[in-house]
Amino acid sequence: MQDLLPEKQEIFRHIAHTIGDVLSAYGYREVGLPLLESTGLFERVVGEATDIVEKEMYTFDDRNGDSLTLRPEGTAGCVRFAQQHGLAFNQVQRFFYAGPMFRYERPQKGRYRQFEQIGVECFGMAGPDIDAELLMLLGRIWRELGIVGSVELELNSLGSADSRAVYRKSLVEYLSQHKAGLDADSLRRLETNPLRILDSKDPGTREILAGAPKLNEFLDEESKLHFDDLRRTLDRMQQPYRVNPSIVRGLDYYNRTVFEWTTDKLGAQGTVCGGGRYDGLFEQVGGKHTPAVGFAIGLDRLALMLEPGYEHRPEADIYVVSAGAAARTSALMLAEQVRDGFPALRVQVHCGDGKFKSQMKRADAVGARLALIIGEDEVAADTVSVKHLREEGQQVSVGSGALNDYLAKVFV
Ligand code: HAM
């Protein structure tokens, strides 16, 4: 789990704001969901035979003996939430949530045990138009963040639960004839979750997979129409994509459209966003049929992408320097006056003792453009000395009452 230093946190904040603004502009509403849910929810929703449930959850018994889990992802909690508050069945909803998720994975660049997601879940819309909306919305987010040229959309269709079951059978039949060449993980998955073998990275297994039956040959007619319609829409809207038949996603709840946005800028952990449809999930957890689709963006990975060229704002625009006990209070009051007039400016007051010279050094170090200096003379005359730190300029004396007018001319 990582600590976020102020520079990194600033990038996270920028990303979260940017994404939140785009989502609001499309009519999505934010919900607040707990970090803990009952363990059984994730077992039912994410799937018992998935990596997440098998080996990545932080699970413990609370004081009452109930098994709880730190959420490894947000869809389960959001579905539970919508059902509990009667916000899904027969309704149209566009929700999003933000916050940390927890997975006990081997940490490396772009993969952490606590990581930040912004997730979106849409309920009550069955057609491919909402799938297209989500993908266009994501395209807009990448544009706003300035990384649209560095990410690629990969798309696939998993078909219906029934067509997947037929495919699964045929895949298992084929792979069972090539057991000797499969890696240990895939061999185990042959029994538990054979579709996950499709995204195995093992070279031997990949070779065997080249001759395996293909999922898209098994798609049911309706899923095919849904996928074709989505592709036509994306073509017309000029959103580029690549169909990648090996995208099966690591969670069990998906059907039909699944997608991932990937980048080659991050090495092995190159997926910045993943999602898809999960039309059968509500029924599976005891609710009524509710079509659903969503995605989650990994903020840690976006932050890694933005970090190299990120222009940080200075710690302060204005630094207030003072000498003497009377001046210290004047400095605090003057800073408040400036903040009233210029809420967007960063105003920092030097607190604690310090020689004038070291205060000015600090003003420079925090990147301030102006130092406001208040000494005994200034207090007596009810003025402030303004020193421009970034450009050649005289130090000028301004009456306290006229300071905001003066600043308005500097910070236009
Ligand atoms: P996911 O593919 O498991 O999907 O995670 C989504 C994104 O979270 C990934 O693409 C990645 O950017 C980020 N992520 C996942 N694990 C880590 C990690 N250990 N460290 C850093 N980043 C990570 C879901 O979570 C689904 N709930 C998405 C969804 C919502 N599908 C439908 N609705």
Side-chain angles (χ1 to χ4, degrees):
M1 289 171 186
Q2 26 161 24
D3 296 318
L4 298 178
L5 297 177
E7 291 74 23
K8 189 79 169 208
Q9 184 67 25
E10 186 184 346
I11 301 177
F12 271 78
R13 176 86 79 99
H14 164 69
I15 294 170
H17 272 165
T18 306
I19 296 176
D21 285 351
V22 173
L23 288 169
S24 300
Y26 279 73
Y28 288 67
R29 295 187 299 156
E30 185 170 9
V31 295
L33 303 171
L35 303 193
L36 288 170
E37 296 279 353
S38 72
T39 304
L41 178 73
F42 298 114
E43 289 168 350
R44 287 196 306 275
V45 170
V46 177
E48 302 227 40
T50 58
D51 281 352
I52 292 180
V53 171
E54 267 186 356
K55 39 186 193 200
E56 294 173 2
M57 296 205 302
Y58 284 92
T59 298
F60 63 95
D61 286 348
D62 71 3
R63 286 171 189 279
N64 200 26
D66 295 325
S67 180
L68 301 180
T69 293
L70 277 169
R71 61 182 187 189
E73 61 97 53
T75 308
C78 197
V79 165
R80 194 260 321 134
F81 151 89
Q83 237 179 327
Q84 191 170 328
H85 298 278
L87 291 172
F89 178 60
N90 252 344
Q91 299 181 42
V92 168
Q93 300 284 5
R94 291 173 164 90
F95 291 131
F96 73 99
Y97 48 85
M101 306 291 161
F102 304 84
R103 295 183 194 175
Y104 188 82
E105 293 191 87
R106 198 167 46 78
Q108 60 182 89
K109 181 181 168 195
R111 187 163 72 187
Y112 312 100
R113 290 179 171 179
Q114 175 176 336
F115 58 97
E116 208 67 25
Q117 277 189 353
I118 291 187
V120 159
E121 314 295 348
C122 299
F123 303 138
M125 292 165 274
D129 44 358
I130 184 66
D131 303 9
E133 175 179 297
L134 289 180
L135 295 170
M136 298 309 292
L137 178 160
L138 282 161
R140 188 177 294 275
I141 287 173
W142 313 139
R143 282 201 299 283
E144 293 285 322
L145 289 172
I147 56 166
V148 69
S150 309
V151 289
E152 189 193 19
L153 170 58
E154 301 185 36
L155 208 57
N156 192 21
S157 176
L158 299 181
S160 67
D162 287 347
S163 71
R164 235 185 336 165
V166 178
Y167 172 66
R168 185 186 150 118
K169 203 162 156 250
S170 144
L171 181 68
V172 170
E173 258 168 37
Y174 169 83
L175 292 175
S176 301
Q177 292 159 16
H178 297 83
K179 269 186 179 169
L182 292 177
D183 63 286
D185 245 1
S186 298
L187 209 53
R188 191 174 49 80
R189 283 180 171 148
L190 195 54
E191 309 292 326
T192 57
N193 201 350
L195 257 59
R196 283 307 307 282
I197 298 175
L198 294 178
D199 58 16
S200 162
K201 305 270 184 291
D202 179 80
T205 301
R206 292 233 60 85
E207 214 166 285
I208 294 170
L209 284 172
K214 300 280 176 283
L215 179 56
N216 58 5
E217 292 156 9
F218 286 74
L219 287 191
D220 54 296
E221 206 45 43
E222 267 189 74
S223 295
K224 233 189 252 171
L225 289 174
H226 186 105
F227 197 47
D228 289 346
D229 191 325
L230 173 61
R231 292 183 57 179
R232 264 197 309 277
T233 308
L234 293 176
D235 289 340
R236 283 199 57 189
M237 298 184 83
Q238 299 186 346
Q239 170 57 57
Y241 60 85
R242 187 165 69 85
V243 175
N244 180 354
S246 66
I247 291 187
V248 288
R249 309 277 300 128
L251 309 93
D252 274 358
Y253 44 67
Y254 293 107
N255 69 310
R256 290 197 180 162
T257 315
V258 286
F259 56 86
E260 290 181 351
W261 293 80
T262 54
T263 178
D264 57 10
K265 304 268 182 270
L266 294 178
Q269 304 304 318
T271 308
V272 294
C273 171
R277 298 202 68 88
Y278 48 98
D279 300 317
L281 182 57
F282 276 89
E283 276 167 299
Q284 197 188 307
V285 296
K288 300 207 177 89
H289 176 71
T290 307
V293 58
F295 63 74
I297 301 173
L299 268 55
D300 300 75
R301 295 180 187 177
L302 292 184
L304 285 173
M305 288 179 78
L306 294 188
E307 209 167 17
Y310 196 84
E311 284 186 29
H312 289 279
R313 279 187 64 185
E315 217 173 295
D317 301 303
I318 296 177
Y319 197 81
V320 189
V321 164
S322 66
R328 206 172 291 160
T329 310
S330 299
L332 290 169
M333 288 168 65
L334 201 73
E336 291 301 325
Q337 175 191 319
V338 175
R339 293 181 185 118
D340 286 343
F342 306 92
L345 282 187
R346 299 179 177 194
V347 184
Q348 215 177 77
V349 178
H350 187 95
C351 289
D353 290 329
K355 293 213 176 70
F356 177 74
K357 206 170 155 200
S358 68
Q359 294 195 35
M360 289 304 287
K361 249 197 193 154
R362 177 88 193 128
D364 186 50
V366 298
R369 208 168 137 193
L370 296 184
L372 304 183
I373 303 162
I374 307 166
E376 280 169 21
D377 293 349
E378 282 84 357
V379 173
D382 196 21
T383 60
V384 51
S385 297
V386 183
K387 189 167 170 55
H388 291 251
L389 301 172
R390 306 288 147 202
E391 59 241 66
E392 292 294 324
Q394 292 286 20
Q395 182 167 312
V396 291
S397 173
V398 183
S400 303
L403 179 64
N404 281 18
D405 288 341
Y406 181 85
L407 294 178
K409 288 188 205 112
V410 178
F411 294 96
V412 273

